Structures are given as C-alpha cells and as structure tokens.
Amino acid sequence: MLSPDSAVLGVTNSLSGRRWLWRAGEDRVAAGIAQRLVLPEIVSRLLAARGIGIDAAADFLEPTLRVLLPDPSLMSDMDIAADRIADAVRRGETVAVYGDYDVDGACSAALMVGLLRGLGCDVHHHVPDRIKEGYGPNAPALSSLVARGARLIVCVDCGTAAGVALSAVAGQADVIVLDHHKAEGPPPQVLATVNPNRLDCGSRLGHLCAAGVAFLTAIATVRALRRLGFFASRAEPDLIGLLDLVALATVCDVMPLTGVNRAFVCQGLKVMARRSRPGIAALLEVTQARDKLNAATCGYALGPRINAGGRISEADLGLRLLLCEDRIEALVLAEKLEAVNRMRQDVEAGIMAAAMLAAEAQIAAGRATVLVTGQGWHPGVVGIVAGRIKERFNRPACVAGFTDGLGRGSGRSVAGVDLGAAVIAARQAGLLVTGGGHAMAAGFSVLADRLAALHGFLDERLSAASAMPSAADLVVEGTFAVSGATAEVARHLERLAPFGAGNEEPTLVLHRARVVRADRVGREANAIRAFVEGEGDGPRLKAMMFRAREGALADALLARAGAAPLHVAGHLRAEEWNGSISPCFVILDAAVA
C-alpha cells in the first residue's frame, strides 16, 4: 500500500521533480513469510509490500507451470478452436496464420506456425504492412491466403474487432481468432474467438498476451489430438520449448509479471538460455548479450529489434527471424534487424526534438493532455515518441504523423487515466477515422480539420490528468546506508525477479551518500558512472545513471564531487565480472539530503 502522507526522507520535490512515497507491507505478513520460508528480512518485507501473502510466497519465488498453469478450457471457444485445429492436423489441411507487426504478434505467429508445421500441416503466414494495410486483418490479404489453399485461418494478436474484414472469407475458410485486445461488443461471426478480454469470457485470464493465449491453445490442441490417438505412432511436440516465445512476448507487451505470466517468463528464460532457437540465438549474438538472460534482455535487447522491422521496414522480418531454422541465415536476418533498428533510432531522433518542444508548450499552456503532430512523421515511431513525452511530463500523450491529409497516431497514458476509453469515445463522437486501445495505450487515425476538436475532447474527457504532478511519484520500498549496499543484499533481491509490469524492480534509497567521482561514459556519453560513499567514508559503491544526456539530476551528479550529500534512489544489482560479484547501484533519482 502507498503512504502519500509520509514522504520518504521528506522528499516531496526531488531533482527530477518527484515525490518519494513508501510502499509499505504488513509487518505481520512479512514476519510470517520470513518464518515459513526462512528468508532474509528484506525479501520477506518486499514480498509483503507487493501484496504477496504467506501462502502464495513460495509459488511467487519459485513459479512453476505445474501449479500456476490454468485449464485452457476456461476460455470461451477454446475447445471449439482446439478441436478444429486438431481436425486440420489430422486431415493435413493447409492452414494460414495471420499475425501482427509487433513482438507479441511475431511471437504468437511463430508459435502457431512452428507448432502446426511440426504436426505436419502446410502453413502460410501473413503480417500486414503498417502503412499500406494497417493493423489487423484485411479482406484482400485474407482472400490471398484462401487463394493459396488455406481452409483454416488463425488470426493471432488481432481479429477481435475485425468482423467486417473476416466476413470476406465466410464460406471459403474457417477462421479462428486468438487475441487479447479489449472488445467493444460481441465477438466476430467466425468459428471461434479465443480472447480472455471478450465481454462474455469469465476465465479471468485477461492479463495474458496473445502468445500466452496461443500457448494455451497449443496445449488444448495437443490434448485434443491425444484423445484422438494421433500420437500413437509419433512423438508429441515439445511445448515447453515454445516458452521462449511466450516469455519474450509477455515482457515486450508489458503484461503483468504475476501468476501464470511469471511462470511463463521464468521458464521461458531458461529455454531461451539454451539458445536452441536459431533466430533468438543470432539476435543475442548480434546484441552481444553476454550476461545471464533476464526480462531486461527481452525488453531492451531483443524486443526493439524484432519490433523494428514492423515499424519502418519489412513487416514480417521479425517473424521470419523467429521461424528461421538455419543459423547462418538467422545471423543474416538478425544483422538486418540490427541495421533497421539503428535506422529506427535515427528516424525517432529526427522527430523527438520537435515533438518535445511542442509538448512543452502545451503543458505550459495548462493542457491536461498532449497532442502533437507533424507532416511526414513516420507512424512506426510515433508510439515511442508518445511514450517519451508521457515519461517526461507525466501526462497522457498522443503523437501523429500526417500524410496526404490523414494522421496516423499512437498514444500512451499514465496510471489511473484510461486513454483507450477516451480514444474509443472520440471515434464514436466522429472525431477520429479509426481508434481503439486500452487504458495505457491507444492507436488512432485522424483528419487534419478534426485535430483541434480532438484535443479539446481529450482534455475534457481526461481532465483529471491536469491535477497530476509534473513527474510521476517514485515508489520506494526501503532505505539503507551505502555500506549496506552489498553484493549479498543484491543477490537476495534477485529472488524476486523477473521484474517488469506488476512486479517492478525494488526501488531503494541510499541515504546521505557522497559522490566522490562522476564521469560521462558510453559511446555517446549518454550515461554517468559515479562512485559514492557514506558520510563516514567506508567502502565506495559504483553507481550508474542511464539516459543521462541532460537535466537537473545529471547535472547534480556531475557537479557534486566533494559537495553536500544526496539521498540517491535506484536499483541495487549484482554485477559479475571475471568470476567475481560486486554491487552496482542504478540511479533513478536523487534529492539533496
């Protein structure tokens, strides 16, 4: 629970403009966890602060599919979908998989294509071009798959809102939708729509990404084939070997790392570490991922590169990499994605400065939301720019690029402000050509003459955002002296990994730390490496700050050598180098002590 009445160390306006608030757990629960599982106090306190009860703590620390995997049949239409896919396998039918151009779309498509090919089906796949076709199924692409012989089309990470497009192949092919996006009304008129977020699904599995839904569908399909005796003379597929795809998608689609998602990621990272999938192994080699694989590897090394193809290049490039079985060919594809990702960064940088200036002016004018546009801005990167604006100003932000009078945009929101609902309402009010999404993100298209009305509508609909502080509150879970930031403590904290949405890495505060040295490092001098010590001297602790190009926090760190102490907030991690382990503190914020 958060305690806004008691700011951590009295910090209500840090160097980055944030309040520091406590996330406190019940001492009784923490004590019970520590006693039952024989855990260090810091681990039990962190578990209690995250709402993990005494009975659930063991499964949280050691998540297993045996305990946490739900019955796939809990989802509406799952048994219908599994029986139809099993029938296609038995008959050796040609199947098509229709995907999406983001990481979840690529992973869920790779999972289904790989599974069906392994079971003997002839499988085609299609990923729509972001600019030429847009998101989701379209009639010409579906018809082309039918023309290539597909009698079953499986849509993954899309399809829930595509009833009109899907009707184009009615009577020519059966359609199964495996999706997780929120539905506005009844499911499309197709054979089966497996989506835990459809309005009539009571599975309570709405936290799954599309790859998670696809994995449960794979389980249900194998179960159906087993009942039919299909495996009497052949081996069953290795479903556990698909979890590297599920883990990657779960992290990159920012799904909460709790419950079965936590088991998916923990087990999937173990599969990924074997590097048995040539495409992922090649991408890990290209990104020089040498450390132990974790959720950050998925979110910051693999994900952006798989996404890059769909953003500004060939939409199916990421899917082709994940499906590639030849290691040499996989390396070529991985290097191509690396080059495309660098191009994406350049395109993004060309938009970011102008977008930030426009956003700053709107915030200064008192707007509750940010809506910035530019002629020719690439629609593949506007979502990233919106995310950065949201982080900078703590406001819902929408960014759109215009071509031929039509703006294609993307939005990102802050906790407690439902941007998706506002975008859907704007579309229903006639202010958008298309629009949809969920609480934290949305996509839309808009005509130029509707921009002013759209911004006013969003300001009114999301007026509560205007009362939010200029920077998001920082939730702190503990404080200690520099001397207490040891490798042993860092190792204890690792027991709570994988970290991500719903299970954030613990934010801790070094109180009254002196910066004894600080320098810019990195190829673009965009990081700061500092060494800090307690007021009574003692051991020095290495600290790093990333994305530190400018700002009051970066300036303060660089200027504070020998000055008054700081309270420094961040993450304590264990670094391994040449067989030795040492602590490192990743700086998120600081305040003058």
Side-chain angles (χ1 to χ4, degrees), residues 78-79 81-93 112 115-121 217-237 239:
M78 175 60 86
D79 292 338
D83 287 345
R84 178 63 182 90
I85 296 171
D87 188 55
V89 170
R90 289 177 63 232
R91 295 173 180 272
E93 290 183 331
M112 290 306 299
L115 174 74
L116 291 169
R117 283 180 177 167
L119 291 170
C121 287
T217 305
I219 293 174
T221 299
V222 169
R223 188 168 63 186
L225 287 168
R226 190 184 299 128
R227 286 196 303 265
L228 295 169
F230 183 78
F231 300 113
S233 59
R234 62 185 295 166
E236 294 192 10
L239 296 183

Side-chain angles (χ1 to χ4, degrees), residues 69-365:
L69 189 70
D71 181 355
S73 296
L74 289 173
M75 281 188 279
S76 299
D77 282 2
M78 175 60 86
D79 292 338
I80 297 172
D83 287 345
R84 178 63 182 90
I85 296 171
D87 188 55
V89 170
R90 289 177 63 232
R91 295 173 180 272
E93 290 183 331
T94 297
V95 181
V97 175
Y98 195 110
D100 186 28
Y101 37 65
D102 69 356
V103 176
D104 191 19
C107 288
S108 49
L111 189 154
M112 290 306 299
V113 171
L115 174 74
L116 291 169
R117 283 180 177 167
L119 291 170
C121 287
D122 181 23
V123 186
H124 303 304
H125 56 78
H126 179 79
V127 178
D129 183 277
R130 183 188 292 264
I131 295 177
K132 296 176 182 177
E133 298 175 85
Y135 167 77
N138 63 81
L142 293 166
S143 296
S144 72
L145 293 172
V146 171
R148 295 169 68 185
R151 293 299 171 261
L152 173 62
I153 298 175
V154 182
C155 297
V156 292
D157 200 27
C158 61
T160 296
V164 174
L166 294 174
S167 67
V169 294
Q172 303 173 66
D174 289 330
V175 175
I176 292 172
V177 171
L178 306 179
D179 199 4
H180 72 129
H181 292 97
K182 289 188 181 299
E184 297 179 46
Q189 295 297 305
V190 297
L191 179 67
T193 297
V194 184
N195 181 342
N197 286 308
R198 56 184 271 183
L199 299 179
D200 60 346
C201 184
S203 66
R204 302 178 67 182
L205 295 173
H207 54 285
L208 295 178
C209 66
V213 174
F215 183 75
L216 292 183
T217 305
I219 293 174
T221 299
V222 169
R223 188 168 63 186
L225 287 168
R226 190 184 299 128
R227 286 196 303 265
L228 295 169
F230 183 78
F231 300 113
S233 59
R234 62 185 295 166
E236 294 192 10
D238 174 24
L239 296 183
I240 295 299
L242 301 174
L243 285 175
D244 55 347
L245 297 171
V246 183
L248 179 58
T250 299
V251 172
C252 293
D253 226 43
V254 201
M255 296 293 105
L257 299 189
T258 56
V260 70
N261 280 347
R262 187 167 168 80
F264 282 156
V265 175
C266 284
Q267 302 305 318
L269 288 172
K270 294 176 183 177
V271 174
M272 194 180 294
R274 300 202 294 257
R275 305 192 182 218
S276 55
R277 189 178 301 276
I280 289 182
L283 205 51
L284 288 170
E285 181 177 341
V286 166
T287 59
Q288 300 181 353
R290 303 281 186 258
D291 298 331
K292 181 180 178 182
L293 302 185
N294 55 31
T297 310
C298 297
Y300 296 105
L302 301 179
R305 288 159 177 83
I306 293 174
N307 259 336
R311 289 191 184 282
I312 65 170
S313 182
E314 301 164 63
D316 67 345
L317 193 54
L319 173 57
R320 282 156 47 202
L321 175 72
L322 294 175
L323 288 174
C324 185
E325 296 181 354
D326 181 83
R327 293 187 179 275
I328 302 301
E329 182 184 351
L331 191 58
V332 172
L333 289 172
E335 289 173 342
K336 186 173 184 179
L337 276 171
E338 173 70 10
V340 171
N341 190 54
R342 286 196 295 269
M343 290 171 52
R344 186 271 304 168
Q345 291 171 330
D346 291 341
V347 171
E348 177 188 324
I351 297 173
M352 192 70 73
M356 281 291 182
L357 280 175
E360 191 169 0
Q362 292 180 13
I363 293 296

Side-chain angles (χ1 to χ4, degrees), residues 450-493:
R450 297 283 183 168
L451 277 176
L454 172 63
H455 202 174
F457 182 92
L458 293 176
D459 276 347
E460 181 178 355
R461 182 91 180 193
L462 305 177
S463 59
S466 60
M468 301 184 76
S470 60
D473 293 331
L474 188 68
V475 179
V476 174
E477 297 183 74
T479 67
F480 49 88
V482 173
S483 59
T486 64
E488 181 183 13
V489 172
R491 283 294 203 189
H492 287 320
L493 297 176

